[in-house]
Amino acid sequence: MSRTTGASRAEPLRRPPRLAPGARVAVVAPSGPVPEERLQAGLDVLRGWDLDPVAAPHVLDRHDEFGYLAGGDADRAADLQAAWCDPAVDAVICARGGYGAQRMADLLDWPAMRAAGPKVFVGFSDITALHEAFAARLGLVTLHGPMAAGVDFLKNARAQEHLKATLFTPESVRTLVSDGTALVPGRARGVTLGGCLALLAAGLGTPHTRISAHGGLVCLEDVGEEPYRLDRYLTQLSRAGWFDGVSGLLLGSWTQCGPYEKVRALLTDRLGGLGVPVAEQFGFGHCDGALTVPFGVTAELDAGAGTLTLDEPALS
């Protein structure tokens, strides 16, 4: 197994082309099993955007022994690779998260996917493992955003509209605004990266991941983790030096992670000493109306004002 890892500093990545009406979008399931009714509803939403969505062959599979997986590792990897390498496909959107992306990441033919050229990739939660891999191995901007069979995507207009704008008119959503205040005020510039905290911690020392967030504006969120677990993940990343040299931090949702005042105190304790701006409640992750955040673009964080402003649109 290759132990290839990414650079030790976050650098701007190549932006894929934006979507146009009629673009073909492949929906894949790299992680957990997908309810058919939710998949069909998600495909209908995408058709309503004048896109041409196609479901990957194994998107509705369920592993024979491990029911938390959407089919076998090889099949999930084959679906993602085939979609990515198909010249007729303009974007790949994950159906849902759960667990399983790490299990299939090493089965992908990364040189072949790199040769296929840039296209849009969307997902969050367990898909954090693939955001890291796409950055390290393909050098591409990816979108941390709602997934095609996700409840929030299906039922929340804000989540739908922000993703749609990012895909079709990304210049219209170059500034994201927080609903909270600054844990640590200040301004910072850097390259966006991050995702689900538990997955970032789990990725330390594994193939296809960056060894450091140096120079990055790190976006963090999680779901269903008690404060002591969040403490453990943050402490692990800190002890590994992953936070060394970060420019700033943006905090998203912490749904079902305990009373927010306790989570907030923990985040302040673990991150406040880094000496960089930290802004909270940026509305991405496992929350109602989740915003789409591009990873791999240079941006400016104003923690006091609660804004993240991209230097250029997420997609070209």
Side-chain angles (χ1 to χ4, degrees), residues 182 184-188 276-278 301-305:
V184 180
R187 290 175 174 263
V276 300
V278 182
L301 169 66
D302 185 332

Side-chain angles (χ1 to χ4, degrees), residues 38-301:
R38 280 171 34 189
L39 173 67
Q40 295 305 325
L43 296 176
D44 286 343
V45 171
L46 296 173
R47 292 188 189 101
W49 295 356
D50 201 15
L51 294 170
D52 177 23
V54 292
H58 299 284
V59 74
L60 292 175
D61 284 5
R62 183 182 289 266
H63 195 284
D64 291 338
E65 186 173 7
F66 307 120
Y68 50 79
L69 297 172
D73 297 341
D75 288 337
R76 300 197 317 281
D79 274 2
L80 175 54
Q81 184 168 319
W84 195 263
C85 293
D86 184 346
V89 170
D90 302 293
V92 174
I93 299 180
C94 297
R96 61 155 296 188
Y99 171 72
Q102 285 186 314
R103 288 179 55 125
M104 49 76 78
D106 298 325
L107 302 179
L108 295 167
D109 185 340
W110 291 105
M113 292 175 65
R114 188 177 184 91
K119 57 187 66 177
V120 175
F121 181 72
V122 185
F124 78 106
S125 193
D126 191 59
I127 308 305
T128 296
L130 294 176
H131 284 300
E132 277 292 289
F134 275 58
R137 298 306 305 268
L138 305 185
L140 287 181
V141 167
T142 55
L143 301 180
H144 181 279
M147 295 177 282
V151 174
D152 192 49
F153 175 73
L154 298 178
K155 297 183 179 296
N156 193 288
R158 185 175 94 147
Q160 287 187 13
E161 290 306 312
H162 196 262
L163 175 59
K164 182 181 179 182
T166 305
L167 294 174
F168 288 98
T169 57
E171 65 279 354
S172 70
V173 284
R174 279 182 54 193
T175 299
L176 280 69
V177 181
S178 165
D179 294 327
T181 58
L183 295 188
V184 180
R187 290 175 174 263
R189 290 183 54 78
V191 176
T192 55
L193 67 122
C196 183
L197 174 60
L199 270 294
L200 292 168
L204 287 174
T206 62
H208 324 312
T209 61
R210 285 172 286 202
I211 62 176
S212 170
H214 186 93
L217 291 175
V218 177
C219 304
L220 298 177
E221 63 90 30
D222 217 318
V223 63
E225 299 282 1
E226 294 183 42
Y228 81 90
R229 293 179 181 269
L230 299 177
D231 189 327
R232 182 170 65 201
Y233 303 142
L234 291 168
T235 301
Q236 181 182 7
L237 289 165
S238 180
R239 294 180 69 211
W242 194 79
F243 286 121
D244 293 353
V246 299
S247 298
L249 295 108
L250 296 82
L251 307 176
S253 62
W254 305 96
T255 304
Q256 299 175 12
C257 291
Y260 184 65
E261 61 271 18
K262 292 186 177 181
V263 174
R264 191 175 193 266
L266 169 64
L267 296 169
T268 302
D269 177 81
R270 294 286 79 191
L271 301 174
L274 294 175
V276 300
V278 182
E280 64 174 340
Q281 298 185 39
F282 250 94
F284 60 86
H286 296 79
C287 58
D288 292 340
L291 301 178
T292 299
V293 182
F295 287 166
V297 297
T298 304
E300 179 170 305
L301 169 66

